[in-house]
Each structure stands twice: as C-alpha cells, then as structure tokens.
Amino acid sequence: MAIFPIRVYPDPVLRTPAAPVARIDGDIRRLVDDMFETMYRAPGVGLAAPQIGVALQVVVFDIGDGPHHLINPVLLETSGSWSFDEGCLSVPGRYWPVRRPGFARARGLNLAGKEIEYAGEELLGRVLQHEIDHIGGILLLERLPRRSRKQALKEIREEEMLRGKGR
C-alpha cells in the first residue's frame, strides 16, 4: 500500500468531475487500499480519488464503524437539515458551519462489482454528500454562503502569499 499526498485547493483536479470506473480490477483494488491508508494517515473520515489526483469515481470513508467504499457512487436521496462545522482534507485546517440535508442515501458498487447502499443521518449523511461532491468536482468552499466563501478564499490567498514569501 502507498500513502499519497492529498491535493489541496486550488489544484485543478479538485474542480474536475471524475470519470466512472469502467472495470473493477487489481488497479482499482490497490487504489481503494491506498486511499484508506492515505485517509487514515491524514487523518480524515472520508476521501475521494480526485483528492489524491486520480480522476475516478471512487470514495472511501470510516466514521468510526469500520472502513467502507463506494465505486461510481450516486446520491439517491437526501432529506432534513443539519448544520455542522465541516472541514475538508483538501482545505486543511479549516472548518465552517455548513448546512446540508441531515440524511443521505447513496448507491454504488463494491470491489466485487455488487451494488451496495449506505444511508444515514448526521455524520454518515454528511460524509456521503461531501465525498460524492468531490467526484463531481465540487469543493466544500462552494457549499459556503457567498459572504463566508469570499472571506475563506481571501484568507486562503493571504496564507498562500505568506508561505510564498517565507521560501
């Protein structure tokens, strides 16, 4: 297994919709293993393949009940509302109050090529939505209200400038 660097904003791969996985083979199995290793090392509760520079529709997650994965996931249903301080490994060290549906249900394939569904409220629902956003090229920053997004982007640019001057 390998640990990959996590791509961070503004890396363009994060804004590019990922391609569906055409065939589940040894490469995809290795990718899933590597993604788990990378996610746990980060540490995080979810990771999408684009976050490690692989533009495929693969997500992994573990909210404390063991590792799970979805290949070619589709969000089937959402309902309710839940505000939570949400972060992202691709925007490290930052958290914002984000309102999303409190429940989500998603379907995809497992490594055996069988259809599988996950559904849950609060954290599981949020992780499913967040990671499926990533495979669609949508970042957490886009889920922020306009004023909060402008402020977040300004702060990120200022940090980049400071890092650039320190070299």
Side-chain angles (χ1 to χ4, degrees), residues 97-110:
V98 175
R99 182 164 296 284
R100 288 188 187 257
F103 170 85
R105 185 167 59 95
R107 177 183 300 143
L109 301 175
N110 65 17

Side-chain angles (χ1 to χ4, degrees), residues 1-21:
M1 286 192 271
I3 295 173
F4 287 87
I6 295 174
R7 303 291 183 96
V8 296
Y9 176 84
D11 191 312
V13 74
L14 298 170
R15 299 268 189 187
T16 306
V21 172

Side-chain angles (χ1 to χ4, degrees), residues 51-154:
Q51 291 181 276
I52 60 168
V54 178
L56 290 174
Q57 293 181 8
V58 179
V59 302
V60 300
F61 56 95
D62 183 347
I63 63 164
D65 61 352
H68 304 285
H69 66 277
L70 283 170
I71 298 166
N72 300 335
V74 176
L75 198 57
L76 299 172
E77 172 187 3
T78 61
S79 64
S81 181
W82 186 45
S83 186
F84 183 79
D85 283 353
E86 189 170 337
C88 179
L89 295 174
S90 292
V91 190
R94 297 184 170 278
Y95 297 85
W96 297 277
V98 175
R99 182 164 296 284
R100 288 188 187 257
F103 170 85
R105 185 167 59 95
R107 177 183 300 143
L109 301 175
N110 65 17
L111 287 173
K114 304 288 186 203
E115 215 170 71
I116 188 166
E117 278 190 20
Y118 291 98
E121 295 191 43
E122 297 185 347
L123 186 57
L124 177 57
R126 184 166 299 263
V127 168
L128 290 171
Q129 293 171 74
H130 182 107
E131 300 311 329
I132 291 172
D133 272 358
H134 273 300
I135 65 168
I138 299 168
L139 281 171
L140 170 63
L141 294 166
E142 294 170 56
R143 297 295 181 197
L144 299 177
R146 183 183 165 120
R147 178 175 279 157
S148 297
R149 182 173 51 246
K150 285 179 74 171
Q151 181 62 33
L153 292 172
K154 177 182 175 201

